[in-house]
PDB file of all heavy atoms in Angstrom:
ATOM      1  N   HIS D 580     -95.253   0.987-161.221  1.00  0.00           N
ATOM      2  CA  HIS D 580     -96.028   1.667-160.291  1.00  0.00           C
ATOM      3  C   HIS D 580     -95.942   1.002-158.870  1.00  0.00           C
ATOM      4  O   HIS D 580     -95.793   1.778-157.897  1.00  0.00           O
ATOM      5  CB  HIS D 580     -97.644   1.483-160.676  1.00  0.00           C
ATOM      6  CG  HIS D 580     -98.558   1.826-159.737  1.00  0.00           C
ATOM      7  ND1 HIS D 580     -99.026   3.198-159.490  1.00  0.00           N
ATOM      8  CD2 HIS D 580     -99.389   1.046-158.932  1.00  0.00           C
ATOM      9  CE1 HIS D 580     -99.890   3.197-158.546  1.00  0.00           C
ATOM     10  NE2 HIS D 580    -100.196   1.948-158.171  1.00  0.00           N
ATOM     11  N   LEU D 581     -95.820  -0.177-158.803  1.00  0.00           N
ATOM     12  CA  LEU D 581     -95.638  -0.884-157.526  1.00  0.00           C
ATOM     13  C   LEU D 581     -94.250  -0.622-157.019  1.00  0.00           C
ATOM     14  O   LEU D 581     -94.095  -0.360-155.707  1.00  0.00           O
ATOM     15  CB  LEU D 581     -95.774  -2.408-157.702  1.00  0.00           C
ATOM     16  CG  LEU D 581     -97.231  -2.840-157.902  1.00  0.00           C
ATOM     17  CD1 LEU D 581     -97.258  -4.407-158.375  1.00  0.00           C
ATOM     18  CD2 LEU D 581     -98.081  -2.728-156.700  1.00  0.00           C
ATOM     19  N   VAL D 582     -93.221  -0.474-157.785  1.00  0.00           N
ATOM     20  CA  VAL D 582     -91.887  -0.123-157.269  1.00  0.00           C
ATOM     21  C   VAL D 582     -92.043   1.338-156.743  1.00  0.00           C
ATOM     22  O   VAL D 582     -91.466   1.582-155.616  1.00  0.00           O
ATOM     23  CB  VAL D 582     -90.853  -0.138-158.437  1.00  0.00           C
ATOM     24  CG1 VAL D 582     -89.530   0.531-157.925  1.00  0.00           C
ATOM     25  CG2 VAL D 582     -90.685  -1.553-158.870  1.00  0.00           C
ATOM     26  N   ASP D 583     -92.621   2.215-157.358  1.00  0.00           N
ATOM     27  CA  ASP D 583     -92.769   3.542-156.864  1.00  0.00           C
ATOM     28  C   ASP D 583     -93.531   3.680-155.475  1.00  0.00           C
ATOM     29  O   ASP D 583     -93.195   4.421-154.606  1.00  0.00           O
ATOM     30  CB  ASP D 583     -93.479   4.433-157.844  1.00  0.00           C
ATOM     31  CG  ASP D 583     -92.723   4.651-159.084  1.00  0.00           C
ATOM     32  OD1 ASP D 583     -91.556   4.462-159.059  1.00  0.00           O
ATOM     33  OD2 ASP D 583     -93.318   5.005-160.167  1.00  0.00           O
ATOM     34  N   ARG D 584     -94.413   2.746-155.396  1.00  0.00           N
ATOM     35  CA  ARG D 584     -95.199   2.694-154.050  1.00  0.00           C
ATOM     36  C   ARG D 584     -94.357   2.072-153.002  1.00  0.00           C
ATOM     37  O   ARG D 584     -94.406   2.576-151.859  1.00  0.00           O
ATOM     38  CB  ARG D 584     -96.583   1.912-154.352  1.00  0.00           C
ATOM     39  CG  ARG D 584     -97.435   2.137-153.080  1.00  0.00           C
ATOM     40  CD  ARG D 584     -98.607   1.058-153.101  1.00  0.00           C
ATOM     41  NE  ARG D 584     -99.487   1.424-154.117  1.00  0.00           N
ATOM     42  CZ  ARG D 584    -100.361   0.445-154.516  1.00  0.00           C
ATOM     43  NH1 ARG D 584    -100.563  -0.753-153.969  1.00  0.00           N
ATOM     44  NH2 ARG D 584    -101.202   0.757-155.462  1.00  0.00           N
ATOM     45  N   LEU D 585     -93.794   0.886-153.271  1.00  0.00           N
ATOM     46  CA  LEU D 585     -93.026   0.225-152.237  1.00  0.00           C
ATOM     47  C   LEU D 585     -91.650   0.825-151.970  1.00  0.00           C
ATOM     48  O   LEU D 585     -91.174   0.617-150.820  1.00  0.00           O
ATOM     49  CB  LEU D 585     -92.955  -1.324-152.708  1.00  0.00           C
ATOM     50  CG  LEU D 585     -94.258  -2.046-152.786  1.00  0.00           C
ATOM     51  CD1 LEU D 585     -93.906  -3.431-153.364  1.00  0.00           C
ATOM     52  CD2 LEU D 585     -94.955  -2.137-151.510  1.00  0.00           C
ATOM     53  N   ALA D 586     -91.064   1.332-152.925  1.00  0.00           N
ATOM     54  CA  ALA D 586     -89.725   1.792-152.822  1.00  0.00           C
ATOM     55  C   ALA D 586     -89.610   3.199-153.446  1.00  0.00           C
ATOM     56  O   ALA D 586     -88.908   3.420-154.352  1.00  0.00           O
ATOM     57  CB  ALA D 586     -88.722   0.888-153.481  1.00  0.00           C
ATOM     58  N   PRO D 587     -90.304   4.142-152.739  1.00  0.00           N
ATOM     59  CA  PRO D 587     -90.290   5.509-153.337  1.00  0.00           C
ATOM     60  C   PRO D 587     -88.813   6.010-153.135  1.00  0.00           C
ATOM     61  O   PRO D 587     -88.150   5.665-152.191  1.00  0.00           O
ATOM     62  CB  PRO D 587     -91.218   6.355-152.316  1.00  0.00           C
ATOM     63  CG  PRO D 587     -91.339   5.485-151.204  1.00  0.00           C
ATOM     64  CD  PRO D 587     -91.073   4.084-151.543  1.00  0.00           C
ATOM     65  N   ALA D 588     -88.424   7.015-154.068  1.00  0.00           N
ATOM     66  CA  ALA D 588     -87.144   7.585-153.898  1.00  0.00           C
ATOM     67  C   ALA D 588     -86.992   8.342-152.620  1.00  0.00           C
ATOM     68  O   ALA D 588     -88.173   8.870-152.023  1.00  0.00           O
ATOM     69  CB  ALA D 588     -87.072   8.548-155.079  1.00  0.00           C
ATOM     70  N   PRO D 589     -85.950   8.332-151.939  1.00  0.00           N
ATOM     71  CA  PRO D 589     -85.864   8.873-150.522  1.00  0.00           C
ATOM     72  C   PRO D 589     -86.431  10.218-150.419  1.00  0.00           C
ATOM     73  O   PRO D 589     -87.076  10.533-149.382  1.00  0.00           O
ATOM     74  CB  PRO D 589     -84.380   8.831-150.245  1.00  0.00           C
ATOM     75  CG  PRO D 589     -83.856   7.735-151.170  1.00  0.00           C
ATOM     76  CD  PRO D 589     -84.777   7.808-152.392  1.00  0.00           C
ATOM     77  N   GLU D 590     -86.291  11.105-151.425  1.00  0.00           N
ATOM     78  CA  GLU D 590     -86.766  12.392-151.220  1.00  0.00           C
ATOM     79  C   GLU D 590     -88.293  12.455-151.177  1.00  0.00           C
ATOM     80  O   GLU D 590     -88.943  13.384-150.812  1.00  0.00           O
ATOM     81  CB  GLU D 590     -86.224  13.394-152.316  1.00  0.00           C
ATOM     82  CG  GLU D 590     -86.515  12.971-153.763  1.00  0.00           C
ATOM     83  CD  GLU D 590     -85.483  11.936-154.279  1.00  0.00           C
ATOM     84  OE1 GLU D 590     -84.709  11.363-153.448  1.00  0.00           O
ATOM     85  OE2 GLU D 590     -85.348  11.822-155.496  1.00  0.00           O
ATOM     86  N   GLU D 591     -88.923  11.489-151.788  1.00  0.00           N
ATOM     87  CA  GLU D 591     -90.333  11.383-151.850  1.00  0.00           C
ATOM     88  C   GLU D 591     -90.921  10.808-150.451  1.00  0.00           C
ATOM     89  O   GLU D 591     -92.068  10.970-150.202  1.00  0.00           O
ATOM     90  CB  GLU D 591     -90.828  10.571-152.992  1.00  0.00           C
ATOM     91  CG  GLU D 591     -90.443  11.054-154.308  1.00  0.00           C
ATOM     92  CD  GLU D 591     -90.576   9.994-155.343  1.00  0.00           C
ATOM     93  OE1 GLU D 591     -91.468   9.096-155.099  1.00  0.00           O
ATOM     94  OE2 GLU D 591     -89.961  10.003-156.530  1.00  0.00           O
ATOM     95  N   SER D 592     -90.042  10.196-149.820  1.00  0.00           N
ATOM     96  CA  SER D 592     -90.584   9.387-148.677  1.00  0.00           C
ATOM     97  C   SER D 592     -90.801  10.305-147.430  1.00  0.00           C
ATOM     98  O   SER D 592     -90.309  11.341-147.362  1.00  0.00           O
ATOM     99  CB  SER D 592     -89.756   8.185-148.286  1.00  0.00           C
ATOM    100  OG  SER D 592     -88.518   8.729-147.809  1.00  0.00           O
TER     101      SER D 592
END
Side-chain angles (χ1 to χ4, degrees):
Chain D
H580 170 79
L581 289 167
V582 171
D583 293 341
R584 186 195 295 165
L585 296 172
E590 55 277 16
E591 305 168 18
S592 68

